[in-house]
Amino acid sequence: MNNLLVTGGAGFIGANFVRHWRTAHPNDLIVVLDALTYAGNRASIDDIEGLVFVEGDIRDADLVSRLLGDHAIDRIVHFAAESHVDRSLTGPAAFVDTNVRGTLTLLDAAKAAWLNKGSGQPHRFHHISTDEVFGTLGPNDPPFRETTAYAPNSPYSASKAASDHLVRAYHHSFGLDVVTTNCSNNYGPYQFPEKLIPLFILNALHGRNLPIYGDGMQVRDWLYVGDHVRGIELALQNGKTGETYCIGGGQELPNLQVIETLCAAVDDAFAKDGRLAERFPDAPAAKGKPTASLKTHVIDRPGHDRRYAIDETKAKTELGYAAAHGFDQHFQDTLRWYLENESWWRAIQGRAKPVRD
């Protein structure tokens, strides 16, 4: 039995991880620490039994230390972060404060609880990061791997790179048992609707434009969140201390192809279920028009990375990780979830900015 502190556990990936872990490890204690900022949503985990939920900030050193001691925490799974590139372009300071100082606060508390007191208890600090720390790839460059040099191009990715380095330093300097995973673009249930896929689904349902940055040919490795949390589970349990693992979906697709898949899937859903036209009368599909008619190209954002791709060889070889399905299947599951959970996204829709990844 393990006692987990999950930071950011009411956010998109964190909530999916908590749901997975509760099902796979029903006897473990799970303490969720979340500040419930714009992207955190208590409703994403409210129906999970046996959770200890604490609304609080990872930068609150006294709170973090108290939670580690009161609950005998032996595993920290660190999701909490400011994570939206467009927001980082207009407010970089918040990203440095949360992602760097917040991670440092957690590391100091973990070191004090697990190492300074000399308890010798087994422990692990699992840090969730992003492939954006590696920068951008040319069309013929090999995919990112664990040995790729860091070259962050946005305030968001720079702040995540700094936090990655802090985690590494606390292992090498103090002996803290750490593992880091760098993931690619996630999608799936409970994603805050300012990222590309949920934003475009909701825009399509409401008849709003689908704003495509530049030519729409920016390439991403698309990772279904259910596959990602299984990869985190494998790394948390079996990853070698001090190591990093790249977790991807094996689906390298340009944004334009993702958007075209989305448009066709929405049209198909309306054709199969006449009730959708009654629920969403402003959708082009409700009027017999193609969802693709909403596509609009807009000026590209500053410093937009052109291509990300992940080499999963290490995670496959050492952890046994593999994505369960391809993009088409997982996207259908994602669209179905948003159609079936209207109350969830309507409750938070007003918090989203009309921006995306």
Side-chain angles (χ1 to χ4, degrees):
M1 176 176 173
N2 293 312
N3 297 337
L4 279 69
L5 175 64
V6 182
T7 72
F12 165 44
I13 305 174
N16 278 278
F17 173 81
V18 169
R19 289 180 165 279
H20 174 79
W21 197 272
R22 171 52 73 228
T23 300
H25 309 274
N27 296 320
D28 283 2
L29 171 68
I30 304 176
V31 179
V32 171
L33 175 61
D34 199 296
L36 294 182
T37 59
Y38 73 94
N41 188 358
R42 180 72 184 270
S44 298
I45 55 174
D46 258 350
D47 61 332
I48 305 175
E49 296 183 358
L51 290 184
V52 177
F53 179 83
V54 179
E55 183 175 351
D57 198 308
I58 58 172
R59 295 167 295 181
D60 186 338
D62 291 339
L63 173 61
V64 172
S65 296
R66 186 165 65 251
L67 292 176
L68 295 183
D70 289 351
H71 299 284
I73 298 296
D74 56 14
R75 300 286 186 273
I76 294 176
V77 190
H78 179 32
F79 293 95
E82 293 283 351
S83 63
H84 199 280
V85 174
D86 281 1
R87 288 179 184 264
S88 82
L89 296 174
T90 57
F95 285 71
V96 174
D97 199 32
T98 297
N99 298 353
V100 182
R101 189 162 72 90
T103 300
L104 179 62
T105 300
L106 287 170
L107 288 166
D108 277 337
K111 175 177 173 288
W114 296 335
L115 300 178
N116 295 358
K117 295 178 182 177
S119 66
Q121 72 178 99
H123 63 270
R124 173 146 287 183
F125 188 109
H126 187 124
H127 178 59
I128 288 82
S129 189
T130 171
D131 59 356
E132 295 189 44
V133 299
F134 301 122
T136 189
L137 294 169
N140 299 315
D141 290 340
F144 300 134
R145 56 188 307 177
E146 292 77 9
T147 55
T148 301
Y150 277 35
N153 290 321
S154 70
Y156 160 61
S157 57
S159 68
K160 288 299 290 183
S163 66
D164 291 6
H165 292 320
L166 282 171
V167 172
R168 173 184 169 87
Y170 268 63
H171 169 66
H172 286 276
S173 295
F174 307 118
L176 197 69
D177 184 342
V178 306
V179 170
T180 295
T181 48
N182 296 85
C183 69
S184 56
N185 268 40
N186 278 234
Y187 67 99
Y190 301 101
Q191 188 169 27
F192 188 65
E194 66 181 4
K195 299 288 189 174
L196 190 152
I197 286 178
L199 173 67
F200 277 33
I201 289 174
L202 301 193
N203 279 10
L205 296 179
H206 290 92
R208 295 193 289 256
N209 284 341
L210 307 181
I212 303 167
Y213 279 137
D215 62 3
M217 295 305 292
Q218 303 87 357
V219 174
R220 300 293 183 261
D221 180 343
W222 291 91
L223 171 62
Y224 185 63
V225 68
D227 289 328
H228 184 198
V229 299
R230 288 190 301 100
I232 293 170
E233 177 186 35
L234 289 168
L236 182 62
Q237 292 183 307
N238 304 319
K240 296 178 181 177
T241 184
E243 292 294 312
T244 63
Y245 297 91
C246 287
I247 307 294
Q251 302 290 300
E252 192 177 340
L253 302 170
N255 286 346
L256 200 56
Q257 183 175 340
V258 171
I259 294 164
E260 290 168 351
T261 298
L262 183 153
C263 290
V266 170
D267 290 346
D268 185 59
F270 273 74
K272 291 179 178 178
D273 185 352
R275 294 170 297 178
L276 291 177
E278 298 175 5
R279 290 171 57 193
F280 307 107
D282 294 327
K287 306 169 186 176
K289 298 179 181 178
T291 300
S293 63
L294 297 173
K295 292 192 299 183
T296 304
H297 288 266
V298 299
I299 296 173
D300 208 351
R301 75 176 176 213
H304 199 174
D305 290 337
R306 192 65 175 172
R307 173 176 169 246
Y308 304 146
I310 285 221
D311 181 345
E312 304 169 348
T313 300
K314 183 176 179 180
K316 288 180 178 179
T317 302
E318 295 189 11
L319 305 178
Y321 167 78
H325 300 290
F327 179 80
D328 289 345
Q329 175 62 52
H330 282 324
F331 177 78
Q332 290 292 338
D333 295 339
T334 301
L335 174 61
R336 187 179 308 110
W337 188 89
Y338 279 92
L339 291 175
E340 293 175 354
N341 290 272
E342 183 178 352
S343 61
W344 181 89
W345 52 260
R346 282 205 182 275
I348 64 170
Q349 199 172 17
R351 304 183 205 166
K353 292 183 177 181
V355 293
R356 55 180 177 78
D357 52 334

